[in-house]
Amino acid sequence: MAAGVATWLPFARAAAVGWLPLAQQPLPPAPGVKASRGDEVLVVNVSGRRFETWKNTLDRYPDTLLGSSEKEFFYNAESGEYFFDRDPDMFRHVLNFYRTGRLHCPRQECIQAFDEELAFYGLVPELIGDCCLEEYRDRKKENAERLAEDEEAEQAGDGPALPAGSSLRQRLWRAFENPHTSTTALVFYYVTGFFIAVSVIANVVETIPCRGTPARRPPREQPCGDRFPNAFFCMDTACVLIFTGEYLLRLFAAPSRCRFLRSVMSLIDIVAILPYYIGLFVSKKDDVSGAFVTLRVFRVFRIFKFSRHSQGLRILGYTLKSCASELGFLLFSLTMAIIIFATVMFYAEKGTSKTNFTSIPAAFWYTIVTMTTLGYGDMVPSTIAGKIFGSICSLSGVLVIALPVPVIVSNFSRIYHQNQRADKRRAQQKVRLARIRLAKSGTTNAFLQYKQNGGLEDNSSGEEQALCVRNRSAFEQQHHHLLHCLEKTTCHEFTDELTFSEALGTISLGRRTSRSTSVSSQPVGPGSMLSSCCPRRTKRRAIRLANSTASVSRGSMQELETLAGLQHSSAPQSRSSLNAKPHDSLDLNCDSRDFVAAIISIPTPPANTPDESQPSSPGSAGRAGNTLRNSNLGTPCLLPETVKISSL
Amino acid sequence: MGVGRTANNSVEDELEMATVRHRPEALELLEAQSKFTKKELQILYRGFKNECPSGVVNEETFKEIYSQFFPQGDSTTYAHFLFNAFDTDHNGAVSFEDFIKGLSILLRGTVQEKLNWAFNLYDINKDGYITKEEMLDIMKAIYDMMGKCTYPVLKEDAPRQHVETFFQKMDKNKDGVVTIDEFIESCQKDENIMRSMQLFENVI
């Protein structure tokens, strides 16, 4: 727990007086802590340097070394002080953490050494205050990267050791991802690279006009692709075969096929080889061949396969993606300017005859060419107004284009780094929150553990208590007492997630059976009720039952199924209730316990009770259950007690 | 000799909170006003001052501290009510004197005083009557502290039922509200409550 909690525990316990009038059960007696110890000054000797502090200061963080009983291991009885053979300079920061609640990171110390000290004293790095956290993380990351680089440099020489007995699949995947590992992989890598190049070059060359054979009629000049169709077709086939083979091998070797299928490289691969296969199935009919020709365009995407071979290409793609918003803005502002100027030019040139500015979209071309200072000259204004606006257009084009570009460049570099840092921070934030949650659940778990170990037993039978129960610190004892008081006030207990979900599960499954059990049982008169509901004895049983619910319910799943099956076959009208919404199942929370009890203690005819006591409609059963509940409205906690006693 | 300031504006409030150093009354004075010994006051003040160097606790800090003790549930609502119960002069901050005043009642007060304090806690609008709505709010806040994972599973209307029980016990003339006299009378008749009153004597 964090800042100064131990100081405020007395206050929280005092405030528990506010629960007293509300509690329906007597609150547990306070732990017999050796109280009023008076605050004493402890001396902590760290390698000769003496630090003195109040004992309460150290008690503030009971789950660290200094705050718990672990420091007793370091107690030197002769000198009456705690001796630690550690760095005194670092200890200063640790002790300041106890005093102020904030852990600071020393600037001049090595991060590794600081980490080790923290680990020794039981502090987690998450406790470092916000003022020093960024720097700590940066330095730590630097360190880690440096070490990782050294490791990699080492490994690059030998090649990473493959775990013995890895499957063919894993070896194949490794060969694909790291071609330097084996010569076969390297050969394969170069071969595919070569074929990509060949394929791209073939695509390009087949459009070059070759000198036609004299035998052919004019046109003499013919693209090479039409001149040597078979040769190009064979080359294409060979390349596609290689690519297909490679793709299938990668698919086979990928550790996560779905993820591989969704990855960009896989998409590129598919786009590269698909046109060929589509072309095979499409005959050379005129109407479809046009589309087929268009598909051939996609063959050029094979060039993107090079990105596997080039790190730079990958980085470029990634940066474009991350810079997309800035580029989008530039595009948007350009579009605005283009539309404005195109409109103006169109209306300026409208009067002229035989003008190129036939429509506003036609004027777009002029505007773009002028603004980017290309100036093809295929469209020129002829009116004076047109020329004036045309010159304004070209001047503003320079501005509109030149201004955002440096901004984009700097934005781009800033965004690139920022993105990386933000992702890092987000990932760390999740981890941070998870650790805080873990620490919190640690507290709760301590309490649950304490309960499970029979901590709620009477102190008279102290010998049977687990050692961990007896040896809790004073703070823990008091805190557990406080939580126990809350439980008694509300008549509910703290549990862990597992038990809770089990309880929910058994409720929804055993709703029918439990309902009928509760209906058929006799409510015992209030006279026999104990003055305190939920007495410790049965509650302990319930705790054990709750803990064993897991095993019981799993083991008796078949029983449940047969029960359900029996009901299903015997009473068709109950089928609707089986499919009834589970939200009202939560009302019968107490029945889960007696259901479990029923399974344990009433093995005999479970099948009969549902049948015979099954009312004609599920609604009336619900009502009966409700009336049973409502009759005990005055003492709602008595209900489970009621059913329990009768079903035992 | 305390330098207590009452802020009018919330912005100024924050500024003042940051700069004011609220010094409590002298030790002897506090000892006379409360039922603690000097040593106890010293221990309490050291803890208090460490947590709140400015000398006052505002509601946010209060809620944070209180939620450390109940990690499973959400204790902010109950902490809010508790804060209002401690903040007797209603200036949005609990000074050391308020703190000591409250603790003195809770730990060293007579049964009457403790019950009075509890009544004050439940009476949210401090009008001298506890209505069902107020009690329901308090009850819901308490049940919120339990969190989700309870055994048995927490029903939706558990707080309401609890409130009903409470009113049945406390509301003698069945007029739908509980006055301070009804409250104290009913509590004094309940031996469970009387017995539990002794529980927290030795907290300090």
Side-chain angles (χ1 to χ4, degrees), chain A residues 507 511 515 582-591 626 629 639, chain B residues 153-157:
Chain A
I507 286 173
R511 203 163 42 92
R515 204 180 261 155
H583 71 256
D584 54 350
S585 67
L586 281 177
D587 292 343
L588 299 170
N589 57 346
C590 304
D591 296 339
N626 280 336
R629 215 175 40 246
L639 176 62
Chain B
V153 178
L154 209 50
K155 305 193 278 186
E156 275 301 311
D157 58 347

Side-chain angles (χ1 to χ4, degrees), chain A residues 197-210:
Chain A
V198 159
S199 161
V200 168
I201 292 176
N203 279 348
V204 165
V205 162
E206 77 180 358
T207 59
I208 299 179
C210 293

Side-chain angles (χ1 to χ4, degrees), chain A residues 442-563:
Chain A
T443 321
T444 326
N445 286 345
F447 183 51
L448 297 174
Q449 197 68 32
Y450 160 67
K451 282 204 299 194
Q452 279 179 21
N453 291 332
L456 299 180
E457 308 272 345
D458 273 331
N459 282 335
S460 52
S461 56
E463 307 87 39
E464 300 163 17
Q465 281 178 352
L467 211 65
C468 57
V469 166
R470 272 184 283 145
N471 287 350
R472 294 168 304 147
S473 68
F475 172 78
E476 266 190 344
Q477 281 185 6
Q478 293 176 349
H479 187 223
H480 290 168
H481 177 245
L482 184 65
L483 292 175
H484 198 195
C485 289
L486 184 59
E487 285 186 337
K488 282 287 200 278
T489 312
T490 55
C491 261
H492 289 77
E493 294 170 18
F494 289 109
T495 56
D496 51 10
E497 291 270 352
L498 186 60
T499 327
F500 177 67
S501 44
E502 294 282 345
L504 273 184
T506 45
I507 286 173
S508 46
L509 262 176
R511 203 163 42 92
R512 296 292 308 155
T513 314
S514 61
R515 204 180 261 155
S516 47
T517 317
S518 69
V519 165
S520 54
S521 67
Q522 301 293 335
V524 187
S528 67
M529 284 301 108
L530 308 173
S531 60
S532 63
C533 65
C534 316
R536 282 208 194 110
R537 183 179 47 87
T538 45
K539 201 153 58 101
R540 186 173 24 110
R541 176 108 187 262
I543 294 173
R544 288 222 205 91
L545 280 178
N547 289 344
S548 60
T549 302
S551 47
V552 166
S553 55
R554 264 184 231 116
S556 59
M557 268 315 155
Q558 284 127 4
E559 273 190 54
L560 291 178
E561 260 137 41
T562 50
L563 282 177

Side-chain angles (χ1 to χ4, degrees), chain B residues 84-121:
Chain B
N84 286 340
F86 268 90
D87 184 18
T88 42
D89 46 2
H90 303 290
N91 60 348
V94 170
S95 65
F96 189 61
E97 287 95 343
D98 296 334
F99 189 61
I100 288 299
K101 222 181 300 184
L103 278 187
S104 172
I105 297 176
L106 289 172
L107 300 178
R108 304 271 191 267
T110 64
V111 170
Q112 184 91 1
E113 288 171 351
K114 288 181 191 173
L115 290 175
N116 227 327
W117 189 90
F119 185 86
N120 197 36
L121 173 68

Side-chain angles (χ1 to χ4, degrees), chain A residues 33 70 118 127 153 192 198 235 242 250 259 333 350 362 410 416 433 441 447 596 641:
Chain A
V33 184
E70 197 182 344
L118 287 188
L127 290 169
T192 41
V198 159
M235 214 173 327
I242 301 256
R250 274 186 204 267
R259 203 159 48 94
S333 59
K350 198 156 182 227
S410 73
Y416 180 65
L433 287 177
S441 72
F447 183 51
V596 175
E641 183 55 30

Side-chain angles (χ1 to χ4, degrees), chain B residues 49 52 77 99 106-108 121 136 144 155 172-174 177 181 192 196:
Chain B
K49 178 90 178 166
C52 323
T77 332
F99 189 61
L106 289 172
L107 300 178
R108 304 271 191 267
L121 173 68
L136 190 59
D144 278 344
K155 305 193 278 186
K172 287 290 178 278
N173 54 358
K174 307 287 176 218
V177 293
D181 302 308
N192 270 345
S196 321

Side-chain angles (χ1 to χ4, degrees), chain A residues 359-376:
Chain A
S359 63
I360 294 187
F364 281 165
W365 175 244
Y366 169 76
T367 322
I368 292 175
V369 167
T370 313
M371 282 181 87
T372 53
T373 69
L374 277 176
Y376 288 138

